[in-house]
Amino acid sequence: RELTLVLTRGPKQWYQRRVREDEQVRIASDFINAAPPGEFKEVVNDVRVLLANDKLLTRASSVFYEYATDQFTTVKVDGEDTLITKDGSLDGSKRFYDPKSSKSFTYNYLKNEASDVQEEDRDAGAEKWREAIQSALKPYLDEFFPAHVTAVYGKLEDDQVTITVCIEDHKYNPNNFWNGKWKSKWDVKFPTAGGYAKVEGTMSAQVHYYEDGNVQLLSNKAVEESVQISSPNEGADNVVAFIKKSETEYQMAINENYTSMSNTTFKALRRNLPITQTLIDWHKLHGFQVGKDIMNKS
């Protein structure tokens, strides 16, 4: 089956392009994967209308996993918020793990609901380190990210402990045509004997403003550091101190860029004033000669 697109080139000129099903699925998947934060359902609904074929939408739904895990989508499990992440995925599809409650669940992407909740065993070899970092994070996140949702994963493999911290906070305001999300991920790796840990982090801010337009900000930054981690509590404090320092510097840099851009980039996008160097009052246009000429011609 093919989809025919008819594109106009003037009042009488036109041409047709036939798009095969595989190409339709790819285009639909790209649309869904590019959905701004907080607008996943709306984009899926629009794509469904464009495709007019639920079988093709089902094929495109394979991108749901990639989108939800990349966005650190939040979901409630037994009344508590947790995150949908690749680190928490148990089957690379619909089954996820919540490290805070040590429960697994099946996730419905379209309904944003968790079901079939089950108890799971923790990785005992990494638990004391995981729990220490989770506890040390809370005061910092409560102060700077009041609506945060965090997942701290821990695992032990071949005498190496890996702690992964996923942080998400968002504000959705569709009534005023804007949505925004902050997320960061931190991988902490070190030997079971302690010593020094390698910390690698990525931070991301994404904002969509769409009142009478369509403007998006997507900013990312990666950092890394070596921190001392001789005991769970000391190591947790050092890791959180590095996270706080990195995120604070990143947010300050974004603010500074906005200040600079308003005087350079944004100003270049604005139309210059007319030769009179004054703004035109469009409500009084009829009082100008050019306004009278326009009205007479209309």
Side-chain angles (χ1 to χ4, degrees), residues 66-275:
E66 202 65 34
Y67 177 84
T69 54
D70 180 69
Q71 285 284 325
F72 290 0
T73 302
T74 61
V75 62
K76 287 192 178 295
V77 178
D78 289 344
E80 297 293 330
D81 288 316
T82 192
L83 299 179
I84 302 297
T85 70
K86 286 186 174 69
D87 295 276
S89 177
L90 298 179
D91 61 359
S93 179
K94 297 181 179 180
R95 193 81 190 165
F96 294 89
Y97 174 70
D98 171 28
K100 186 180 295 184
S101 64
S102 192
K103 295 177 180 178
S104 67
F105 57 92
T106 297
Y107 180 62
N108 185 306
Y109 293 95
L110 292 178
K111 295 181 179 180
N112 190 32
E113 293 178 353
S115 61
D116 189 21
V117 179
Q118 299 177 13
E119 297 284 345
E120 298 287 346
D121 294 329
R122 297 184 185 275
D123 189 326
E127 181 57 21
K128 64 180 180 180
W129 303 95
R130 188 206 69 81
E131 190 173 19
I133 291 178
Q134 180 176 276
S135 298
L137 274 169
K138 192 174 186 308
Y140 160 62
L141 296 176
D142 287 346
E143 180 179 359
F144 292 96
F145 299 95
H148 72 88
V149 180
T150 308
V152 182
Y153 305 93
K155 63 181 180 181
L156 173 63
E157 291 181 339
D158 299 328
D159 293 326
Q160 176 172 275
V161 177
T162 300
I163 306 296
T164 300
V165 178
C166 298
I167 302 170
E168 190 272 356
D169 199 354
H170 65 258
K171 286 189 177 181
Y172 299 154
N173 196 340
N175 290 335
N176 289 312
F177 307 101
W178 62 263
N179 295 304
K181 178 187 286 280
W182 166 276
K183 59 189 177 75
S184 64
K185 179 181 177 181
W186 305 87
D187 289 316
V188 186
K189 298 181 179 180
F190 55 93
T192 54
Y196 282 86
K198 182 179 182 181
V199 184
E200 296 179 315
T202 56
M203 300 163 284
S204 172
Q206 185 175 5
V207 180
H208 184 212
Y209 180 77
Y210 50 100
E211 182 176 16
D212 295 330
N214 186 10
V215 180
Q216 288 199 59
L217 162 74
L218 178 57
S219 175
N220 301 280
K221 184 178 181 180
V223 295
E224 65 176 68
E225 183 64 277
S226 179
V227 303
Q228 190 170 359
I229 192 161
S230 57
S231 69
N233 289 336
E234 180 202 33
D237 290 340
N238 291 339
V239 168
V240 172
F242 175 62
I243 291 175
K244 180 179 180 179
K245 174 177 176 291
S246 301
E247 294 190 338
T248 300
E249 290 176 350
Y250 177 47
Q251 292 187 36
M252 290 178 64
I254 292 177
N255 290 338
E256 291 172 2
N257 282 339
Y258 263 121
T259 301
S260 173
M261 288 174 68
S262 67
N263 295 322
T264 55
T265 307
F266 291 152
K267 182 176 289 187
L269 294 174
R270 299 189 187 107
R271 182 174 296 175
N272 292 328
L273 289 172
I275 194 171

